[in-house]
Amino acid sequence: MKRVLFVCLGNICRSPAAEAIMKAKLRQLGKENEFVVDSAGTYGGHAGALPDERMRERASRRGYVVDSRSRAFYPSADFPGFDLIIGMDNQNVTDLKRLALHADERNKIVRMMDFFPGETPYREVPDPYYEGTDGFELVLDLLEKAIDGLLEHLGMK
Ligand code: 4NP
């Protein structure tokens, strides 16, 4: 069993989309039972909320159901609970590393775009919260490819 946690700031835009895309791709591969996939936010202020309506709408056009409720990242549960903790942007990774107490916790933290296969000017999945529709489409484009790279890294493709 492999356990993967996607982390962004609010857990209402990027990381719930990553969770939904990862689950959909695993389902297509028939590997969903081999993984635990979840998402969380370094900022817990949206806890309990459904994902941002703009993300839900743009993702649903691509066939993804983005419907996990927001929750905060909990260091004491999530560091032992997951093998790979994937930050969407550099600030997320910095915040997660600050919460890690030991090297074995720190070593679980990686950056989503490090899995992106091929050329791209983007080194982070940009925060779409204050952006228009294009920002959400860009996040979905980046996540679909980066998660393909992640699946390859995990030996699933
Ligand atoms: P996310 O987007 O980190 O991708 O979920 C954001 C959601 C909420 C806020 C910022 C980013 N916020 O400032 O409330």
Side-chain angles (χ1 to χ4, degrees):
M1 186 69 85
K2 294 193 176 79
R3 305 164 303 168
V4 178
L5 182 67
F6 296 102
V7 177
C8 62
L9 179 62
N11 191 215
I12 56 170
C13 296
R14 291 165 292 174
S15 62
E19 176 188 348
I21 292 168
M22 180 75 169
K23 285 178 172 171
K25 288 181 181 287
L26 285 170
R27 204 176 306 123
Q28 280 166 15
L29 295 166
K31 305 278 191 187
E32 71 226 271
N33 295 331
E34 297 176 31
F35 281 81
V36 172
V37 180
D38 196 4
S39 65
T42 56
Y43 166 67
H46 295 280
L50 282 169
D52 189 296
E53 190 53 49
R54 297 166 293 175
M55 180 55 86
R56 302 188 69 190
E57 203 269 326
R58 302 319 293 187
S60 78
R61 291 170 182 244
R62 303 186 189 211
Y64 304 113
V65 180
V66 182
D67 66 352
S68 62
R69 297 256 172 198
S70 178
R71 73 167 178 88
F73 178 81
Y74 290 115
S76 60
D78 290 330
F79 280 122
F82 291 92
D83 307 305
L84 209 48
I85 297 172
I86 305 178
M88 293 294 129
D89 64 29
N90 292 341
Q91 188 62 52
N92 305 146
V93 168
T94 299
D95 291 342
L96 287 166
K97 292 210 167 166
R98 199 172 290 132
L99 294 168
L101 296 176
H102 310 290
D104 62 325
E105 295 184 343
R106 227 165 11 249
N107 291 340
K108 294 180 173 187
I109 302 164
V110 293
R111 197 164 60 149
M112 184 81 266
M113 287 303 287
D114 287 346
F115 296 103
F116 192 92
E119 292 294 314
T120 174
Y122 291 97
R123 300 318 311 161
E124 312 179 69
V125 182
D127 185 347
Y129 194 67
Y130 296 104
E131 303 292 328
T133 301
D134 288 355
F136 287 84
E137 292 291 343
L138 171 63
V139 166
L140 290 166
D141 286 344
L142 295 175
L143 286 176
E144 285 185 321
K145 277 199 188 158
I147 288 170
D148 280 339
L150 171 63
L151 287 166
E152 198 157 322
H153 170 81
L154 294 168
M156 294 297 119
K157 295 190 102 178

